[in-house]
């Protein structure tokens, strides 16, 4: 059907502001073109019929103050009204038909009729019914019956009317309006025509037409000057006016009675994201300016038409998992939770940032807590300062416990193996050499002064310098003496090359060499946790060196937490640790994160994992995380992960709900009073919303200065200079201790034999060397020194 055009006369309206532009308005009312006994097309829902209407809305130009209102009002018919409408339609169609078709249509629409045509049409509607006998006095039709295609069309229409009027589905009276506006005079009519074109998909036996009166020179529609005010009142005041031919069945307008579905591919549709239960009522209100004690921040949830920031009891918070795409808000909302707990001071906190971006934003908001912050970093300083904290796992202060040597050995060796991918039948000889080297240096550290404790950079010296090794052997345990005297000489040089080469790369990065090359360690995880410290771990990327640091942090944290068996359970201060982008090092540390999730809760460990895609984690880690989680904050991930998360949250949750979650929003599931809630929608709270704009640069500098003081940072050059002479100082101390009798002064020693020195980054000269004594085998050189011999 060709639709009438809208009125040539387009009205205008003045916006609220007196200085606003003139807005032109066009109006259209729609009704059925034929008798409402003839149905509209039953439009399938795939593809979504709203897609074409959404395409029409894409033509809107916001710069021209344009909009389109498409309104459909419905009034349901009662059963009695539906039966009455059926009888009226039968009578109307019979009056409109003459000749034999009149009886045939009447019988089709009212099978209870006792005439011949009624029996015949009833037989059409029910083929299994026996045909009725023709009455004797029935008159034969005098007019000629239609034949051929005309007869087929007539029978098809009769059957269609029978099905439409006999269908018991609900029916509605309707009125449909379209109103458009624009600053351009021609645009409102064009926008309405686009919507009318989208409605052509409903045309079938009946169509939607524009209400109006066609005159020779113009068409008087709802936009006529004498009708537009009534039209606007009907829209604005929700008034319903019944017209002829305004009844439709539910199936005819089903595509307009629902929101846009997944099958509506238009990109200008606001997605609901699927059905999700409302947020639970027992969530705790969370005042961002005055946060309640013992409460863990969740986010903002809908309460009617308003948002409310809520939290959950801190006692119910053990492990959380936050998967989601990058830039989707998971790290930002986790930083807000981290800062609230850090400011509260009741627990220790740790945030491991593998890319240094998150903590750069979070650090200024900890201005009042800077005296509690300890910072470990392999990333470049933002202020360019060349200072570094010292963290030495070999330090004497770490070895006071009876089992400390074994614990610290596992810490260092497992971290080195994780960074290099050793283990599981890969590099077994290198791993054996690494374990014995670390254990030997740990045992020696107990016998040395604190400022002469070996570091990880003494491993190449132990491997390559026979004199250094001979000086250590008398002070080692019997197991270690047998290894270095009987086993190690039988290894080929290639067995220790990977280990020595890796240590050499560490020594080539000044900031890393200064961090791990200080004999005195300023960081002790157990002490920091017990004192409620705020631990910031900043890494520079995803290199093997950063994986080593992440592994050291994770292994050290686990060991520190597990060592608190000597503290009464009620007095163990909890530590909340956030591991961001955990997939970067989860595969390297093989099962340690899952072990933390399973074993450390009773020792006060609270772990919060963040990563982009759940399927990038190890299967064991993901399984344990989903099994032991207290809270789950999920935003958009890939389709496979959406199915996994939805199935884990609730059997009724559709994966599309998570897949279509917008930025900074989450599908969450929390634990309250030991009971897991149903999933609900939540908006994350960012740093600026929680704490205001970022502090001034001067505040950031003051915070960093306090962190440097509290962490015991010292110049990198000073640490590297001390490390360059550490081999000689260890050798001299062990030699003097072995030669002098008790209660005597140390005897002077002669210089030890020469060796290939490990060149430390930032120094120009290697450690001093002397003439080389005969050796049992030629050691492998690691960046041999090129400077002159003293």
């Amino acid at each position: 059907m060709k639709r009438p055009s809208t009125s040539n006369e387009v009205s205008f309206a003045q916006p609220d502001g007196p200085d606003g532009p003139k807005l032109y308005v066009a109006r259209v009312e729609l009704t059925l073109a034929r008798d409402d006994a003839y149905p509209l097309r039953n439009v399938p829902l795939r593809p979504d019929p709203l897609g074409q209407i959404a395409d029409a809305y894409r033509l809107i130009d916001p710069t021209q103050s344009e909009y389109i209102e498409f309104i459909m009002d419905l009034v349901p018919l009662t059963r009695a009204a539906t039966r009455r409408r059926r009888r009226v339609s039968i009578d109307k169609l019979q009056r409109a038909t003459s000749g034999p078709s009149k009886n045939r249509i009447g019988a089709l629409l009212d099978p209870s009729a006792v005439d011949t045509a009624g029996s015949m049409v009833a037989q059409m509607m029910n083929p299994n019914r026996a045909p009725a006998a023709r009455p004797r006095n029935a008159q034969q039709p005098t007019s000629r019956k239609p034949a051929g295609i005309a007869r087929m069309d007539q029978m098809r229409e009769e059957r269609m009317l029978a099905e439409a009027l006999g269908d018991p589905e609900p029916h509605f009276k309707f009125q449909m309006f379209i109103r458009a506006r624009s600053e351009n005079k021609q645009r409102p009519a064009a926008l309405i025509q686009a919507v009318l074109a989208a409605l052509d998909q409903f045309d079938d036996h009946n169509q939607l037409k524009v209400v109006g009166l066609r005159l020779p020179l113009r068409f008087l529609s709802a936009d006529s000057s004498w009708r537009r005010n009534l039209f606007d009142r009907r829209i604005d005041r929700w008034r319903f006016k019944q017209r002829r031919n305004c009844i439709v069945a539910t199936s005819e307008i089903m595509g307009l009675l629902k929101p846009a579905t997944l099958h509506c591919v238009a990109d200008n549709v606001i997605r609901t994201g699927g059905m999700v239960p409302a947020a639970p009522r027992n969530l705790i209100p969370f005042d961002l300016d005055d946060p309640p004690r013992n409460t863990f921040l969740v986010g903002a949830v809908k309460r009617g038409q308003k948002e409310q920031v809520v939290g959950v009891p801190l006692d119910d918070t053990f492990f959380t998992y936050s998967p989601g795409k990058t830039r989707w808000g998971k790290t930002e909302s986790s930083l807000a939770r981290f800062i609230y707990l850090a400011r509260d001071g009741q627990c220790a906190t740790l945030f491991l940032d593998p890319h240094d971006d998150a903590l750069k934003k979070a650090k200024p908001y900890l201005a009042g807590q800077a005296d509690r912050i300890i910072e470990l970093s392999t990333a470049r300083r933002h202020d360019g300062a060349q200072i570094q904290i010292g963290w030495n796992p070999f330090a004497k202060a770490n070895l006071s416990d009876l089992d400390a040597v074994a614990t610290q050995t596992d810490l260092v060796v497992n971290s080195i193996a994780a960074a290099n991918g050793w283990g599981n039948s890969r590099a077994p000889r290198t791993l054996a050499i690494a374990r014995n080297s670390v254990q030997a240096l740990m045992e020696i550290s107990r016998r040395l002064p604190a400022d002469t404790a070996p570091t990880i950079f003494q491993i190449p010296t132990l491997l390559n310098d026979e004199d250094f090794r001979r000086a250590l052997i008398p002070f080692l345990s019997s197991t270690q003496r047998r290894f270095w005297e009987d086993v190690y000489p039988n290894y080929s040089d290639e067995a220790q090359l990977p280990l020595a080469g890796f240590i050499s790369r560490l020594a080539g990065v000044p900031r890393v060499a200064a961090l791990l090359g200080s004999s005195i360690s300023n960081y002790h995880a157990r002490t920091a946790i017990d004192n409620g410290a705020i631990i910031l771990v900043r890494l520079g990327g995803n290199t093997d060196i950063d994986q080593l640091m992440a592994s050291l942090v994770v292994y050290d944290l686990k060991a520190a937490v597990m060592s608190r068996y000597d503290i009464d359970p009620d007095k163990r201060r909890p530590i909340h640790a956030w591991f961001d982008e955990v997939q970067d090092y989860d595969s390297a540390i093989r099962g340690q994160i899952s072990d933390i999730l399973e074993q450390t809760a009773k020792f006060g460990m609270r772990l919060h994992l963040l990563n982009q895609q759940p399927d990038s984690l190890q299967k064991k880690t993901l399984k344990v995380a989903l099994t032991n989680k207290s809270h789950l904050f999920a935003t958009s991930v890939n389709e496979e992960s959406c199915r996994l998360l939805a199935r884990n949250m609730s059997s009724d949750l559709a994966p599309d709900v998570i897949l279509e979650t917008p930025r900074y929003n989450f599908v969450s599931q929390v634990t309250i009073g030991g009971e897991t809630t149903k999933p609900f929608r939540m908006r994350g709270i960012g740093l600026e919303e929680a704490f205001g704009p970022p502090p001034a640069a001067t505040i950031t500098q003051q915070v960093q200065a306090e962190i440097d003081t509290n962490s015991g940072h010292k110049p990198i050059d000073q640490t590297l200079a001390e490390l360059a002479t550490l081999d000689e100082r260890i050798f001299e101390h062990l030699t003097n201790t072995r030669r002098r009798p008790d209660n005597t002064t140390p005897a002077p020693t002669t210089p030890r034999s020469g060796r290939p020195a490990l060149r430390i980054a930032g120094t120009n000269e290697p450690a001093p060397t002397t003439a080389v004594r005969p050796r049992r085998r030629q050691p492998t050189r690691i960046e041999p020194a090129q400077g002159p011999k003293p």
Side-chain angles (χ1 to χ4, degrees):
M1 169 183 175
K2 184 177 180 181
R3 298 188 180 279
S5 61
T6 55
S7 172
N8 296 329
E9 176 185 358
V10 180
S11 66
F12 64 90
Q14 192 70 20
D16 296 336
D19 299 329
K22 180 190 296 184
L23 300 179
Y24 295 91
V25 182
R27 305 164 182 85
V28 160
E29 181 179 0
L30 300 178
T31 189
L32 295 176
R34 301 179 67 184
D35 189 283
D36 52 25
Y38 293 88
L40 295 170
R41 177 171 176 247
N42 187 354
V43 180
L45 302 183
R46 296 186 181 183
D48 196 324
L50 293 179
Q52 295 189 36
I53 299 177
D55 290 338
Y57 273 73
R58 189 182 285 111
L59 301 176
I60 292 176
D61 184 1
T63 62
Q64 296 291 319
S65 303
E66 294 180 354
Y67 79 85
I68 302 174
E69 291 178 276
F70 177 49
I71 301 169
M72 183 173 65
D73 296 331
L74 299 176
V75 176
L77 293 182
T78 63
R79 292 184 179 179
T82 302
R83 290 193 297 268
R84 184 169 58 252
R85 175 243 181 188
R86 184 172 181 271
R87 289 194 300 268
V88 170
S89 297
I90 292 173
D91 295 341
K92 186 187 304 183
L93 290 172
Q94 285 181 327
R95 288 194 301 269
T97 310
S98 62
S101 297
K102 177 176 181 178
N103 292 334
R104 187 163 49 252
I105 294 175
L108 181 62
L109 298 177
D110 189 0
S112 62
V114 294
D115 57 10
T116 303
S119 300
M120 187 170 59
V121 176
Q123 176 67 23
M124 289 175 53
M125 298 177 61
N126 188 0
N128 297 324
R129 178 179 175 181
R134 178 186 296 272
R136 292 181 179 179
N137 57 353
Q139 297 181 357
Q140 296 294 331
T142 58
S143 62
R144 188 175 180 180
K145 296 181 180 180
I149 296 177
R151 175 59 179 165
M152 294 176 60
D153 292 340
Q154 183 181 25
M155 292 180 63
R156 186 182 301 111
E157 184 169 292
E158 291 170 357
R159 186 177 297 277
M160 176 273 298
L161 289 171
E163 293 176 354
L165 292 174
D167 196 334
E169 67 177 320
H171 287 67
F172 299 89
K173 296 178 183 179
F174 82 97
Q175 62 180 9
M176 187 177 294
F177 306 115
I178 306 175
R179 183 167 61 179
R181 78 175 185 188
S182 176
E183 296 179 14
N184 188 315
K185 185 176 182 179
Q186 307 300 327
R187 290 284 294 171
L191 295 174
I192 287 181
Q193 289 292 346
V195 178
L196 292 177
L199 295 176
D200 283 342
Q201 60 187 312
F202 293 93
D203 291 355
D204 193 9
H205 300 286
N206 212 336
Q207 303 89 27
L208 293 169
K209 74 169 186 177
V210 176
V211 176
L213 178 63
R214 182 171 293 281
L215 298 177
L217 298 179
R218 62 184 307 177
F219 180 78
L220 300 179
S221 67
D223 210 25
S224 302
S225 58
W226 56 281
R227 299 181 63 180
R228 65 176 62 129
N229 292 334
L230 177 61
F231 181 93
D232 291 338
R233 283 198 299 270
R234 290 173 62 190
I235 289 183
D236 300 336
R237 301 184 183 181
W238 301 82
R239 293 182 177 179
F240 189 91
K241 180 181 179 181
Q242 181 174 341
R243 291 187 175 275
R244 296 174 54 193
N245 301 332
C246 65
I247 297 178
V248 291
T250 304
S251 59
E252 300 173 39
I253 56 172
M254 186 181 301
L256 301 177
L257 297 182
K258 56 164 190 57
T261 65
L262 179 65
H263 306 288
C264 179
V265 296
D267 56 3
N268 58 332
V269 175
I270 298 177
R271 304 290 179 177
T272 62
M275 296 299 296
V276 181
R281 291 292 178 184
N282 54 349
L283 294 170
I284 302 173
F286 195 100
D287 188 348
L288 295 176
D289 297 325
D290 186 18
R293 302 298 297 273
N294 299 315
T295 304
F296 185 79
L297 173 65
V298 172
V301 299
K302 284 284 188 179
R303 298 295 195 197
Q305 298 299 321
K306 298 182 179 180
E307 272 192 341
Q308 183 182 29
V309 181
V310 296
V312 293
L314 193 60
D315 293 339
D316 287 321
T317 304
F318 288 86
F319 304 119
T320 69
Y321 180 42
S322 300
K325 294 179 181 178
T326 182
R327 302 183 306 278
W328 239 248
K330 64 181 185 300
T331 301
E332 183 87 2
S333 57
S334 295
L335 284 175
R337 301 182 187 112
F338 163 72
I339 293 175
Y340 272 119
L341 287 183
R343 287 182 170 186
D344 186 65
Q346 297 186 78
C347 59
T349 51
L350 181 147
F351 200 102
L352 194 160
D353 180 10
H355 303 300
D356 190 34
D357 293 330
L359 290 179
K360 180 181 179 181
K361 295 190 296 184
K363 201 182 301 183
Y365 293 103
L366 295 170
Q369 313 296 327
D371 58 339
R372 295 169 45 220
I373 297 178
I374 300 175
E375 185 177 48
L376 303 174
S377 175
T378 60
R380 293 181 180 180
R381 288 282 295 255
H382 304 301
D383 56 3
Q386 299 298 316
I387 55 178
Q388 180 63 287
I389 189 176
W391 178 25
N392 184 16
F394 298 81
K396 191 172 185 177
N398 297 327
L399 305 173
S400 58
D401 188 75
L402 182 63
D403 299 328
V405 170
T407 301
Q408 292 298 103
T409 298
D410 288 340
L411 163 67
V412 177
V413 174
N414 291 339
S415 299
I416 294 176
N420 291 276
W422 299 338
N424 296 329
S425 301
R426 291 192 60 190
R429 295 180 300 165
T430 302
L431 199 55
I433 293 174
R435 180 167 295 279
N436 284 277
S437 300
V438 172
Q439 183 171 341
L441 293 175
M442 293 285 183
E443 292 180 5
I444 291 299
S445 182
R446 280 182 161 179
R447 299 176 178 269
L448 294 171
D451 60 352
T452 317
T455 70
I456 194 173
F457 298 107
Q458 271 59 61
I459 292 178
T461 308
L462 176 62
L463 298 177
N464 298 317
D465 191 328
E466 188 173 352
D467 293 339
F468 187 86
R469 191 164 57 250
R470 286 177 179 175
L472 265 65
I473 288 176
F475 300 93
L476 300 178
S477 62
S478 58
T479 303
Q480 283 294 304
R481 284 200 300 269
R482 284 195 297 271
F483 175 83
W484 293 107
E485 291 177 343
D486 302 331
V487 179
Y488 179 69
N490 297 323
Y491 278 109
S492 64
D493 292 341
E494 288 76 11
Q496 54 95 7
L497 273 175
L499 176 61
F502 178 68
I503 303 299
S504 177
R505 290 203 306 277
L506 296 181
V509 183
R511 188 165 296 280
V512 177
L515 174 65
L516 299 177
S518 174
S519 293
I520 298 178
S521 182
N522 294 326
Y523 171 67
H524 188 260
R526 168 69 185 273
T527 303
I529 294 172
D530 292 343
N531 294 336
I534 303 170
I535 306 169
L536 309 181
V537 182
R538 297 169 47 240
L539 306 181
N542 193 24
T543 65
D544 54 354
I545 296 177
D546 293 302
Q547 287 188 350
L548 171 68
M549 293 303 306
S551 302
L552 284 172
V553 170
V554 174
Y555 280 108
D556 190 39
L557 181 63
K558 177 187 174 184
V561 171
M562 297 290 288
S563 70
R564 300 200 294 171
Y565 60 84
D566 56 344
I567 301 178
D568 186 75
D570 297 333
K571 297 181 180 179
R572 292 171 184 161
R573 186 193 292 264
I575 174 170
H576 287 258
W578 278 263
F579 292 168
D580 194 10
E581 302 296 350
V582 67
Q583 76 277 355
D584 289 348
Y585 40 90
D586 173 54
S587 58
I589 54 180
R590 291 189 297 274
Q592 289 306 303
I593 293 179
S594 59
D595 290 346
I596 291 176
L597 291 168
E598 293 177 327
Q599 303 173 13
T600 60
K602 59 185 176 182
F603 295 103
M605 183 70 191
R606 308 290 183 258
L607 189 59
H608 310 276
L609 302 180
L610 295 83
N611 82 312
Q612 294 184 23
Q613 302 295 342
D615 54 11
S616 64
L617 297 177
Q618 295 185 87
K619 291 183 178 179
K620 181 180 179 181
T621 302
L622 178 59
K623 182 178 179 180
V624 174
L626 295 177
T627 301
N628 295 279
K629 70 181 186 309
S630 302
H631 317 313
L632 177 60
F633 307 117
T635 187
S636 182
V637 292
N638 60 37
E639 293 186 16
E640 183 177 351
S641 296
C642 284
R643 288 193 290 269
L644 173 65
L645 294 174
R647 186 169 60 249
N648 185 269
M649 286 187 178
S650 173
S651 59
D652 299 329
L653 185 65
D656 292 341
V657 172
I658 301 176
L659 181 64
E660 298 175 4
T661 302
R663 294 179 67 182
Y664 312 123
N665 286 263
F666 300 82
V667 178
S668 305
Q669 189 175 40
V670 300
T671 301
I672 303 177
E675 298 292 332
T676 303
T677 67
K678 293 182 178 180
F680 60 94
R681 297 188 190 278
M682 176 267 292
R683 181 179 62 81
I685 302 298
L687 293 178
E688 293 194 21
E689 181 180 359
F691 309 107
T698 55
I699 301 297
T700 303
Q701 295 172 1
Q702 295 175 6
V703 171
Q704 187 62 60
E706 291 187 53
I707 293 174
D708 294 341
T709 302
N710 186 61
S711 300
H713 287 79
K714 65 179 182 180
I716 292 177
D717 291 342
Q718 179 182 342
T719 302
L720 296 182
E722 295 171 356
L723 179 59
T725 63
L726 184 57
D727 291 345
E728 297 299 329
R729 288 186 283 124
I730 294 174
F731 178 84
E732 292 175 4
H733 183 89
L734 294 177
T735 304
N736 292 341
T737 301
R738 184 182 179 188
R739 290 181 178 180
R740 72 172 187 264
D742 293 341
N743 300 325
T744 60
T745 58
T749 61
T750 58
R752 64 191 179 96
S753 63
R755 62 180 180 85
L758 177 68
R759 188 180 298 277
I760 304 299
T763 60
N764 295 322
E765 298 294 336
T769 59
T770 57
V772 180
R773 292 195 310 222
R775 303 181 182 180
R776 283 175 290 184
R777 66 187 182 91
Q778 182 66 29
T780 302
R781 289 177 173 267
I782 309 285
E783 295 187 12
Q786 302 298 328
K789 297 182 180 180

